Amino acid sequence: MKMNYKAMFFNQLCHSIFQHESFKSIPKFYFKLPAEDEVLQQKLREESRAVFLQRRSRQLLDNDELQSLWFLLDKHHTPPLMGDEKMINYEDFLKVSQEAGPKCKTYFTATVFAKLLQKDPYGRISIMQFFNYVMRKVWLHQTRIGLSLYDVAGQGYLKEADLENYILELIPTLPQLDGLEKSFYSFYVCTAVRKFFFFLDPLRTGRIKIQDILACSFLDDLLELRDEDLSKEMQESNWFSAPSALRVYGQYLNLDKDHNGMLSKEELSRYGTGTLTPVFLNRVFQECLTYDGEMDYKTYLDFVLAMENRKEPQALQYIFRLLDIQNRNYLNIFALNTFFRAIQEQMKIHGQEPVSFEDVKDEIFDMVKPADPLKITLQDLINSSQGETVTNILIDLNGFWTYENREVLVQENPADDLENFGEGEEV
């Protein structure tokens, strides 16, 4: 009875509140998205969003306006110089604000000035730092608007197809990709998009926030390809460059011995130095998306991103899922032993005396220092900063051998050392 009285009182209270005159003037704030068969409403929504984004774009500073802003900053700089750098105090900062026009008002605030204020004895900020700040803000707004044009649903997310369209239409604006054959465009787009989704969508929801794309460095790396004079070293270290994309795709083709466009377990076993253990490869094909037991290029890209970035939490999450053979969200001694036993078997094949599992197990727990002395969670692995080393020990003979010989390994010729190891050199 006590609960009934409470419910009755609550219902009466709600009824009296919603009968109040003020509720009749509350504007509608939720508009249901049009259904797929409501073509006219969808088209209207798309057109209105495009008009809105164009209006926002016109509110941004263009190149001529940015140049005028720089001239004003230079004209009103506050002496003396700090070396070759021109500075400006708050009083002159406000003078520039008055002359710069309405589009610049949002940048000329006390908050922005305070953020850029460092240890200048005259209380000034660098005009170059301020100008770079403005350009960065303009670039972010421009890029957000550009990405939002591909957000079909208008919800602040991009699906895989949306991002593919964005990058495909971006290719002609990137001079470093001029040499790409058009027949390779689809593979390049797939290669580029997978990095965004591997790192920004670890839960595999199929969409990523535009805000997350702007916050990470991947878009900077992609747009770096606008630089016609980008060095060879910078290109090789940039996942989005033509040499990098061709390298990854070339490796895939080289592994595909039967030329059916897919990779079998046997073909993938030749990846890298060809020393990944059979147990680990079995887990890859058990847990990852395959087609009739073979891996396509998209799945291969996730695999490569995990293997090449083992210091990153997303890569460790990928590999941890493979190591967690009991699906318990932690690694126990049984799981560690299962994977290290394959390393021991590989050592026997190469004529070496297997290392004791007990010793390796103790070293792993000493490195990770898990909260529970008998279990290693993904968070333990990430917190320890030893994830790359631990995974090397458990899944890759070459990685384990490198760890075991870390103090004496000749860094200049690791491949030669591995070859000697295979011939029975004592460790």
Side-chain angles (χ1 to χ4, degrees), residues 53 92 114 152 161-162 170 228 238 258-259 284 294 400:
L53 292 171
D92 291 327
V152 177
D162 301 330
L170 193 66
E228 296 182 11
N238 188 332
D258 60 7
H259 307 295
V284 171
E294 295 200 315
F400 170 72

Side-chain angles (χ1 to χ4, degrees), residues 269 271-277 343 346 350 395-399 418:
S269 69
Y271 173 82
T273 56
T275 53
L276 293 173
T277 66
I343 295 289
Q346 291 291 311
H350 286 87
I395 68 175
D396 184 1
L397 176 62
N398 187 30
L418 180 60

Side-chain angles (χ1 to χ4, degrees), residues 70 127-137:
W70 173 254
I127 66 170
M128 178 60 76
Q129 285 186 6
F130 174 71
F131 187 69
N132 287 339
Y133 168 83
V134 173
M135 286 202 300
R136 176 69 178 172
K137 283 288 186 182

